[in-house]
Amino acid sequence: METPNEDIGKKEKGAEGANPKSALSVNPGVADAPAISPYIRDQRKTLSRKEISAEELAAGILSGNRTHLSKAITLVESNLELHNDKAQAVLELVMPKMGNSIRIGITGVPGVGKSTFIESFGSYLLEQNHKLAVLAIDPSSQRTKGSILGDKTRMEILSKSENAFIRPSPSSGSLGGVARKTRESMYLCEAAGFDTIIIETVGVGQSETQVHSMVDFFLLLMLAGAGDELQGIKRGIMEMADLIAINKADGQNEPFAMRARVEYESALHLFPAPESKWTPRATTCSGIGGKGIDEIWKLVLDYISTTKSNGHYAKNRENQTRMWFEETLREVVLEQFFMRPGKKESIMESEKKLMAGQSTLLKEIKHLTGK
């Protein structure tokens, strides 16, 4: 038999099975809102499925579309054969618009302030109504093969400008301070209408000379106190420089930078005269304060004017294209060599003989190459 209290509880409980006056009752909850708007989610799916053709990419690049330019550079940098074929198709379509820019290579030891200098130098160029593209090469880890790609974060002013384009790319183990496809990326930027291209190298020291084979003007940034003029006698990167700029020439460091400029300028006279008939100079600058930036740009223009008038400008670009063709040809032939049937096994066998001291290096190489 039910007690009066139990009867009252049943009436209060009602059809929902919960007692609204009880402290233990649970009210119906509200469904969680989706983290992403269904409209945006469906739009992303549609965009991700849409395949952009080579013709559409080329048209976008020629119209100055940065998204299409970035996609094309990604295709160029890809190692997939399908992407490479499409990238080459895009390059062929935009080829008539290539070559109409001033190409500047900027290098220097790590910590010299390359990114800060480019931020200041690029801002000055934007004030002069130039369109600037910066191809920043970031070193890749030999262990993980990864790259930070953080150069863009150090160029805050340029990254916000409509007339500037910054593209960080991994070196991916390539030597010489540039990536394997930096040249093709530079051509795409030229086709997009950028009249000044800056290639910022990884900064690896005296051996960083490959960038010299793809630019018109080679700027070497140095620091005061990094060595006297005997340091400048070293062959390699310094004799390739068209201008040496002693960076961070501000505050208490300014007199040291002025003295370093004199020493480097004296060292430059020890090198043979370059084919360009241009006399390399040394100057001082400050990436933070902007000191000397206008003078550096004036020297760049003087160099371009001098080399165009004496014919070296056109000849240099022809030589660079010829060098690019030869390097790419060697790369493709080498790749095909390793892809031959049974070649991997033959190489492993030769390695075993060499490690065991059963043969000589030259003998095994001749055996592998069929000589």
Side-chain angles (χ1 to χ4, degrees), residues 20-169:
K21 293 184 178 181
S22 172
L24 300 177
S25 63
V26 179
N27 294 325
V30 178
D32 291 336
I36 301 177
S37 168
Y39 170 76
I40 296 178
R41 184 179 61 246
D42 295 341
Q43 190 179 45
R44 285 182 178 178
K45 290 181 179 179
T46 304
L47 291 173
S48 62
R49 293 194 189 113
K50 185 180 178 182
E51 185 71 21
I52 302 178
S53 66
E55 290 75 16
E56 289 175 319
L57 278 176
I61 291 171
L62 295 175
S63 65
N65 188 310
R66 294 171 181 234
T67 302
H68 286 191
L69 174 60
S70 297
K71 288 181 179 293
I73 293 178
T74 301
L75 288 175
V76 161
E77 294 177 343
S78 174
N79 292 323
L80 296 178
E81 186 175 351
L82 178 63
H83 290 171
N84 288 336
D85 293 340
K86 190 173 181 180
Q88 297 309 309
V90 173
L91 285 167
E92 287 184 8
L93 290 170
V94 301
M95 195 172 291
K97 295 295 183 180
M98 296 178 184
N100 299 318
S101 73
I102 297 177
R103 306 167 183 172
I104 304 173
I106 297 181
T107 188
V109 296
V112 76
K114 292 188 294 296
S115 297
T116 304
F117 172 82
I118 292 174
E119 169 88 329
S120 181
F121 186 59
S123 299
Y124 175 80
L125 294 179
L126 295 181
E127 292 175 358
Q128 307 301 313
N129 298 320
H130 289 281
K131 293 191 67 177
L132 173 69
V134 179
L135 302 178
I137 314 303
D138 199 57
S140 299
S141 169
Q142 294 297 319
R143 295 183 178 180
T144 65
K145 308 303 180 184
S147 298
I148 298 177
L149 302 179
D151 296 87
K152 190 172 182 177
T153 61
R154 291 182 287 179
M155 303 178 191
E156 190 173 347
I157 297 176
L158 296 184
S159 62
K160 295 178 181 178
S161 174
E162 295 182 357
N163 291 323
F165 175 79
I166 304 174
R167 173 72 182 209
S169 297

Side-chain angles (χ1 to χ4, degrees), residues 288-310:
I288 295 180
K291 177 184 176 182
I293 298 297
D294 55 343
E295 177 64 21
I296 290 176
W297 179 240
K298 180 179 179 299
L299 289 171
V300 172
L301 295 180
D302 288 347
Y303 173 88
I304 298 299
S305 176
T306 300
T307 54
K308 280 187 175 181
S309 62
N310 62 26

